[in-house]
Amino acid sequence: METQLDPMKDDLPLMANTSHMLVKHYVLDLDVDFKSRVIEGIIVLFFETGSQYRKTSSTDKESCQPQFDGACKMRASELCHIPVTNVSACSSKTECNDFAVCGKGEENTSDKSCNHSNKEQASGISSSKNCCDIENQGNKDFLLILDCCDLSVLKVEEVDVAAVSDIEKFTRSAKLTDASKELENLRNQIVHELVTLPADRWKEQLYYFTSCSRAPGCGELLFTTSTWSLEIRKSGIQTPTDFPHAIRIWYKTKPEGRSVTWTTDQSGRPCVYTMGSPINNRALFPCQEPPVALSTWQASVRTAAGFVVLMSGENSAEPIQLHEGILSWYYYVTMPMPASTFTIAVGCWQEVKQQSFAAAIQTNIEFSLPSLQADFRWHEEVCGHVEYPCRFQNPAARLQAVIPYRVFASWCLMEHCEEHLLQLIPQCLSAAYTTLGTHPFSRLDVLIVPSNFSSLGMASPHIIFLSQSVLPGGIHLCGTRLCHEIAHAWFGLAIGARDWTEEWISEGFATFLEDIFWARAQQQLSHDEVKGQQELKASLRWRRLRDEVQNSEEELQVLRPKKESTGELSESGASVVKHGLKAEKIFMQVHYLKGYFLLRSLSRTIGEASYLASLRKFVHKFHGQLVLSQDFLHMLLEDIPEQKKSGLTVENIVQNWLDTSGIPKPLLEEGETWEECQLVQQVRGEVTKWIQANQRIRKSGKKKRKQDEVVFQKLLPDQLVLLLESLLEEKTLCPRILQCLEKTYQLREQDAEVRHRWCELVVKHKYVPGYGDVEKFLRDDQAMGVYLYGELMVNEDVKQQELAHKCFAAAREHMDVSSAKVVAEMLF
């Protein structure tokens, strides 16, 4: 049963008992209803018995390899679009009315709810008393625990996979008998054979997963829902081995569900998307959340014509019209991934067309290939992951510098996307390929998400969400953020953290690689220019890290908060994500910044060329797997053994960088060497000019006298950020200086990072002519504006507080839940 957690710790519980049973594949069949703000339908889960209970003897696969003919290949895609109402499995809309949710479902306010048939003995299900009394009556029955929250579960049943046509090819038994025990074993045997098919038979596997998901039910299962989980049992079944390995769940999301964001796009049209929220996808579908539960999936999603469904899928889906006004979209994934990486976005998205795609690919291949030829020898090694159709073993994929890509946005943002984003994608993809080699995923969609999106970007398999904030102000912010999200294809997706508390494995690597990719994407930069830009970036990140360490809880500054317990699970396979539910943690960058500085320090110690070669080797060895910090550190130091002489060991890296709060000691010892870089020194000179001009104006009082004209140099976007941050340290800046500052650098036309600092200056110095800029920023750049609310309130200025309340009132209805919570605490 559910563990009682201390709510003061704000840890996210991962309840699924993955050591007992492990989901290997999900089949989702869903309807998206914008009127009710509900996604409803069916999910079928296919299991393997977990590691603790798996039989030691392996099945002889040779006797059960069905032949997959061409007709089946043709039917596979068609079958995936058959409406559920047309097959023997009952649909959510025709059958679910026969089942009641205790306490009237969504209105039920109790922590536990019980679902059962109104016909007490139908399909062998027990009475409501027995159903709800699992704790007392069912101690001997095995409980399957799934992660689930903010869902209305309507019905759970076992799937009769043995009823599928031609399925006997997956069985070793020549004859089927009516003995119920043998039938149960047969169904589980079929599922086992299906989920363990060799990788080169993935099309056949998807076809049979689809067929099995449409098979009739063969008995309803007892279940209860609680705050964080869905618990399922079958009366009389006491072990995971005997528990049904294919189950079907009817369910509905709730409009307030924390995994799903219902809002409007920039053109005012309704849309919905999933967010990498603190609770991941458990409010989208019942699943297993622990990272160890790597699974594949396929999904059919129906929605009204006019809407486009984008999803984490290997195929670029084309809609099929089921009947007038209703389209169905089908996606699939054959690389096992954590359920938390599944992403969906449904809206009236418009595709931004690329005019010269072929030319862009050819240009980038020419300069990308030579540097990687020496690394291809690693591809000859056998992959270390579970079997799937791996691109690292595909000769064509290994030579693909730029994978196919598409861009989607609201129609009013099309021009912005055409101007910069389309040209940047092939450059950034090719730069990533030059650095790390084979792209782990076969294609990429980029979606500009609505304004309430709470970060600048989010990467999922085959799809990247970007904030609208990256579009204005030139290519710099758009390019660097795109590089960051592309880096997650390798670090965060293809290689995942075995323990989600080690976020730095994903975010630290992406932040470090962002600079490498962006330097190569710009192509024409000299070595000195690249070094200058990277030193400038290090200076900015140092300032942010220093501020965060001073203004956040110490326990949230630790990169490995579970320390030596990292990666450990309970006996059932359940675990927690430390501080996973703390709203303020979402806006912290410590794991980005400390991770970045650790990797930067290692690169400087080892040498960039050797270091990047080790990263490529690490990718080749660990792609498709889950890792802990020490996996990377051990391999790095073993790969470059001479570093041990310098005292660089896994133990001291862990102690200095990962297991302690505050600024890491080696970083303090390194000193602010980046302050000596020419780009930083140039900013220092400009800051001095502005301070002197401010002093002259203050001394002259209200008299207008002719001033010596000061010539200010043109600055890069990151230099502008540093300039404004430096001026923020000044106690007072007069209105004329602020006016001149905005005019000199056209600050209202700059990217969001620059405009954010400008808004901070406006707020600090109560510069009323700039209040409109603050209001616009809080409306259009919600991914970055949260802490501006706090600054508006802290001055205790009536006009500023009125502005904060006005902006929050206008944005609150559609604002991200975590953002709204943090802002509300600042304002009320």
Side-chain angles (χ1 to χ4, degrees), residues 36 39 89 97 111 188 192 216 234 244 253 352 384 662 779 788:
S36 62
I39 298 174
N97 292 334
D111 282 343
N188 288 352
H192 171 74
K234 181 176 180 179
T253 64
V352 186
R779 181 184 69 242
L788 271 181

Side-chain angles (χ1 to χ4, degrees), residues 38 214 408 490 568 613:
V38 162
R214 311 295 196 201
F408 292 88
W490 286 267
E568 289 183 5

Side-chain angles (χ1 to χ4, degrees), residues 435-675:
T435 308
L436 294 178
T438 308
H439 289 280
F441 302 102
S442 58
R443 68 175 198 94
L444 176 65
D445 283 340
V446 177
L447 172 66
I448 303 300
V449 279
S451 58
N452 69 341
F453 188 65
S454 64
S455 71
L456 287 180
M458 185 181 81
S460 299
H462 313 283
I463 185 169
I464 286 173
F465 289 173
L466 285 182
S467 166
Q468 65 180 31
S469 296
V470 306
L471 295 177
I475 66 170
H476 178 74
L477 181 58
C478 188
T480 55
R481 194 66 205 189
L482 188 59
C483 286
H484 182 100
E485 302 308 333
I486 287 172
H488 278 310
W490 286 267
F491 291 94
L493 295 175
I495 299 175
R498 192 160 18 126
D499 190 321
W500 284 341
T501 61
E502 292 196 291
E503 293 169 84
W504 84 271
I505 293 176
S506 174
E507 298 300 352
F509 274 95
T511 305
F512 174 79
L513 288 166
E514 165 190 324
D515 294 354
I516 307 293
F517 292 1
W518 182 233
R520 293 181 172 182
Q522 294 173 84
Q523 298 178 32
Q524 296 89 2
L525 295 182
S526 68
H527 176 267
D528 288 342
E529 287 173 319
V530 168
K531 185 178 178 183
Q533 284 190 12
Q534 293 180 355
E535 294 292 309
L536 172 61
K537 203 76 173 180
S539 177
L540 287 170
R541 288 173 178 145
W542 163 254
R543 296 170 69 92
R544 290 174 200 169
L545 178 59
R546 188 182 57 196
D547 290 346
E548 284 224 352
V549 165
Q550 291 172 353
N551 298 295
S552 62
E553 298 176 42
E554 282 194 11
E555 61 181 8
L556 298 182
Q557 300 171 18
V558 179
L559 297 189
R560 212 172 67 132
K562 291 166 76 172
K563 299 186 179 177
E564 293 308 313
S565 299
T566 297
E568 289 183 5
L569 305 173
S570 70
E571 187 178 348
S572 71
S575 62
V576 298
V577 180
K578 291 288 289 181
H579 318 304
L581 292 173
K582 279 189 176 264
E584 62 269 32
K585 188 173 184 292
I586 297 170
F587 305 101
M588 290 182 63
Q589 291 188 308
V590 165
H591 44 291
Y592 291 74
L593 299 172
K594 286 177 76 171
Y596 155 79
F597 277 114
L598 167 56
L599 297 174
R600 183 178 185 274
S601 175
L602 292 171
S603 177
R604 286 162 62 89
T605 302
I606 293 168
E608 184 175 291
S610 297
Y611 185 65
L612 291 179
S614 292
L615 281 190
R616 288 193 290 274
K617 188 174 179 181
F618 181 72
V619 165
H620 298 323
K621 182 175 180 179
F622 285 103
H623 68 273
Q625 300 177 66
L626 302 171
V627 300
L628 297 175
S629 298
Q630 51 265 40
D631 295 321
F632 168 69
L633 297 174
H634 277 301
M635 179 174 168
L636 182 68
L637 296 186
E638 286 170 7
D639 199 36
I640 310 175
E642 60 267 23
Q643 297 308 319
K644 292 184 179 179
K645 297 176 184 176
S646 65
L648 200 61
T649 65
V650 173
E651 290 71 27
N652 64 37
I653 293 172
V654 167
Q655 182 179 350
N656 288 326
W657 290 90
L658 304 182
D659 285 1
T660 54
S661 59
I663 304 287
K665 191 182 298 183
L667 186 55
L668 287 171
E669 292 171 354
E670 181 183 340
E672 299 178 25
T673 54
W674 43 82
E675 296 294 332

Side-chain angles (χ1 to χ4, degrees), residues 16-22 49-53 240 569-574:
N17 51 348
T18 54
S19 296
H20 300 162
M21 294 188 73
L22 206 55
T49 306
S51 56
Q52 288 189 4
Y53 296 88
L569 305 173
S570 70
E571 187 178 348
S572 71

Side-chain angles (χ1 to χ4, degrees), residues 193-369:
E193 297 297 338
L194 182 54
V195 300
T196 56
L197 276 180
D200 60 359
R201 296 168 64 186
W202 64 269
K203 290 183 180 178
E204 175 185 7
Q205 188 180 47
L206 282 178
Y207 169 77
Y208 278 105
F209 274 137
T210 304
S211 300
C212 288
S213 73
R214 311 295 196 201
C218 54
E220 294 168 27
L221 303 175
L222 312 176
F223 67 94
T224 59
T225 58
S226 61
T227 306
W228 292 111
S229 65
L230 168 65
E231 297 167 355
I232 304 169
R233 73 179 177 94
K234 181 176 180 179
S235 184
I237 298 299
Q238 299 179 6
T239 68
T241 307
D242 295 330
F243 193 83
H245 282 38
I247 64 171
R248 182 185 290 120
I249 302 172
W250 279 257
Y251 75 97
K252 293 182 180 182
T253 64
K254 298 182 180 180
E256 69 276 12
R258 282 167 280 178
S259 302
V260 185
T261 300
W262 298 88
T263 185
T264 54
D265 66 15
Q266 291 84 350
S267 301
R269 303 292 299 274
C271 62
V272 62
Y273 63 88
T274 53
M275 178 60 187
S277 63
I279 69 166
N280 300 307
N281 274 326
R282 65 181 68 187
L284 176 64
F285 58 90
C287 57
Q288 290 184 333
E289 286 281 15
V292 69
L294 300 175
S295 59
T296 51
W297 58 74
Q298 61 193 104
S300 293
V301 179
R302 290 170 296 280
T303 189
F307 289 94
V308 173
V309 178
L310 301 177
M311 195 185 298
S312 307
E314 292 169 23
N315 58 315
S316 299
E318 293 294 333
I320 290 179
Q321 183 167 332
L322 296 180
H323 47 84
E324 189 174 354
I326 299 295
L327 299 180
S328 178
W329 303 72
Y330 169 72
Y331 288 88
Y332 62 84
V333 161
T334 61
M335 175 183 176
M337 301 286 294
S340 61
T341 64
F342 179 97
T343 300
I344 184 172
V346 184
C348 300
W349 322 122
Q350 302 286 316
E351 183 176 358
V352 186
K353 297 291 186 180
Q354 171 72 30
Q355 298 302 317
S356 54
F357 178 70
I361 290 179
Q362 186 58 42
T363 301
N364 287 284
I365 282 181
E366 286 171 1
F367 85 84
S368 296
L369 285 179

